[in-house]
């Protein structure tokens, strides 16, 4: 019989990652990127870790208030049942948004701890293995100040190092945004190229007008065009543009991805296990896509997604990496970085495998940033 492993505590710290320049997407201005990192400790002395962006939500408060009290005292082997119990006790808070985001990283930390108890990598624990995967380089940061010529030079440098997939967010204006993409295309003529419209468009007409100016660049996708909440409007846009539409970042929960699928809004659903239910709840999102025959791929968090998606047999899905220390995803920058195969495939080699997810926190970096750590999990 497996050794009982009771969850002793669920603790969380918040880290305000400093950026080289504010990230400006219209009314959305990010002067920092705040992350919440969770530690789950068991009676066997094992620790599970996971992290997510807070998106300025009270993730740490939610964990302390309504999630940790349910998990503490339960057996790590019962983590899926505990996830459902926690969600069911507070459907109004835990079905979507901040509550689901908080519950997701606790679930991931529990899976990390369980894999460590079994002395297996998370991929092995899920019954699979890690394989080489396509990797997308997020270029063009900081977007408000990175000009086209520097975006092109950045693309050229990464292309020379084996990268074959690139994605840039909107710049300061439509004209600059297109010029940045053209510079990237000129630097990497045969590469896959996508763009994140970061929810900056309000109407179908304006979104279609901009997207159609990009048609000559052979775009691999446009994504996150409108603020979430109107699958019908997205479906209308899909009929009016030549490139695939990807959607779903930062969502999850009630009617996701059901609404997008039923409205035939997307070519690919974006999946983020750190805010869509972790491993326990997030797998249902993927299963819904599979049942409907709709494609999907992960959003950022490559240390989590590359291992889980590969273990589940989806090693053809591209994982995303920001250019280090440009403000894309600072927490990742202090962890293991990708090694791209030098055979022209653009595939990344599997990340180093350790028990569980491997190293999911660099405490020295966390402590170098403004932070709130009432339980001292960054200093133990």
């Amino acid at each position: 019989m497996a050794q009982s492993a009771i969850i002793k505590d669920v603790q969380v710290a918040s880290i305000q990652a400093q950026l080289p320049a504010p990230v400006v997407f219209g009314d959305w201005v990010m002067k920092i990127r705040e992350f919440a990192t969770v530690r789950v400790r068991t009676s066997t002395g094992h620790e599970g870790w996971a992290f997510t962006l807070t998106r300025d939500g009270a993730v740490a408060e939610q964990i302390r208030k309504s999630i940790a009290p349910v998990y503490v005292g339960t057996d790590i082997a019962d983590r899926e049942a505990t996830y459902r119990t926690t969600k069911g006790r507070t459907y109004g808070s835990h079905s979507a948004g901040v509550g689901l985001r908080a519950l997701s990283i606790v679930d991931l930390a529990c899976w990390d701890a369980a894999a460590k108890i079994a002395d297996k990598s998370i991929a092995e624990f899920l019954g699979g293995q890690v394989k080489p995967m396509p990797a997308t380089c997020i270029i063009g940061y900081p977007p408000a100040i990175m000009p086209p010529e520097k975006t092109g030079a950045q693309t050229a440098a990464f292309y020379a190092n084996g990268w074959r997939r690139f994605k840039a967010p909107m710049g300061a204006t439509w004209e600059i945004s297109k010029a940045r993409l053209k510079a990237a295309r000129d630097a990497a003529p045969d590469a896959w190229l996508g763009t994140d419209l970061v929810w900056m468009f309000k109407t179908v007409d304006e979104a279609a007008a901009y997207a159609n100016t990009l048609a000559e660049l052979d775009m691999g996708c446009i994504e996150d065009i409108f603020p979430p909440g109107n699958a019908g409007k997205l479906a209308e846009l899909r009929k009016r543009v030549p490139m695939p539409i990807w959607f779903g970042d930062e969502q999850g929960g009630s009617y996701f991805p059901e609404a997008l699928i039923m409205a035939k809004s997307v070519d690919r659903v974006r999946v983020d296990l750190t805010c869509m239910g972790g491993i326990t709840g997030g797998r249902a999102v993927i299963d819904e896509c599979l049942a409907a025959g709709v494609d999907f791929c992960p959003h950022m968090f490559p240390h989590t997604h590359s291992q889980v998606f590969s273990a589940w047999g989806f090693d053809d899905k591209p994982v995303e990496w920001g250019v280090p220390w440009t403000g894309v995803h600072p927490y990742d920058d202090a962890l293991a970085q990708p090694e791209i195969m030098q055979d022209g495939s653009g595939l990344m080699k599997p990340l180093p495998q350790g028990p569980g997810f491997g190293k999911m926190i660099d405490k020295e970096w966390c402590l170098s940033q403004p932070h709130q750590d009432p339980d001292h999990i960054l200093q133990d």
Side-chain angles (χ1 to χ4, degrees), residues 175-193:
E175 293 73 22
I176 292 175
S177 299
K178 181 181 177 180
R180 282 159 36 106
L181 292 170
K182 186 178 185 307
R185 172 56 74 212
D186 291 343
D190 60 342
W192 182 94
L193 180 63

Side-chain angles (χ1 to χ4, degrees), residues 156-167:
F158 278 85
Y159 186 90
N161 200 35
W163 293 80
R164 294 297 182 266
R165 297 179 60 89
F166 300 92
K167 187 169 69 178

Side-chain angles (χ1 to χ4, degrees), residues 62-220:
Q62 193 78 24
I63 290 171
R64 296 186 185 109
K65 179 180 180 180
S66 60
I67 296 175
V70 183
Y71 272 82
V72 171
T74 65
D75 198 306
I76 200 75
D78 298 328
R79 59 195 172 278
E80 292 177 274
T82 305
Y83 171 93
R84 290 189 287 271
T85 297
T86 307
K87 187 175 182 181
R89 286 191 184 179
T90 320
Y91 276 125
S93 296
H94 294 162
S95 291
V98 170
L100 183 59
R101 187 178 292 267
L103 182 56
S104 298
I105 55 169
V106 173
D107 180 78
L108 288 168
C110 287
W111 280 89
D112 184 42
K116 288 174 178 173
I117 291 169
D119 195 25
K120 293 182 177 181
S121 71
I122 193 67
E124 292 172 326
F125 192 64
L126 290 171
Q129 58 183 313
V130 290
K131 298 180 180 179
M133 297 179 71
T136 302
C137 183
I138 308 300
I139 55 173
Y141 272 76
I145 61 174
M146 173 75 90
E149 59 272 19
K150 288 189 176 181
T151 304
Q154 187 181 65
T155 305
F158 278 85
Y159 186 90
N161 200 35
W163 293 80
R164 294 297 182 266
R165 297 179 60 89
F166 300 92
K167 187 169 69 178
M170 293 290 289
T173 66
W174 289 16
E175 293 73 22
I176 292 175
S177 299
K178 181 181 177 180
R180 282 159 36 106
L181 292 170
K182 186 178 185 307
R185 172 56 74 212
D186 291 343
D190 60 342
W192 182 94
L193 180 63
T195 184
D196 186 350
L197 305 192
V198 290
W199 305 331
M200 287 182 63
F201 290 84
K202 300 298 188 289
T203 70
V204 173
D205 285 345
E206 67 173 0
Y210 175 66
N212 284 313
T213 69
L214 306 180
E216 64 192 63
L217 301 179
D218 187 26
M219 300 299 298

Side-chain angles (χ1 to χ4, degrees), residues 19 40 52 64 88 112 131 160 180 182 194 305 309 311 341 345 374:
L19 304 178
V40 169
T52 191
R64 296 186 185 109
D112 184 42
K131 298 180 180 179
R180 282 159 36 106
K182 186 178 185 307
H305 290 135
F309 273 59
M341 299 171 66
S345 67

Side-chain angles (χ1 to χ4, degrees), residues 344-362:
S345 67
L347 299 177
M348 58 170 270
K349 296 179 181 180
L351 292 174
Q353 296 295 287
F357 279 105
K359 184 178 180 179
M360 293 293 274
I361 184 168
D362 185 306

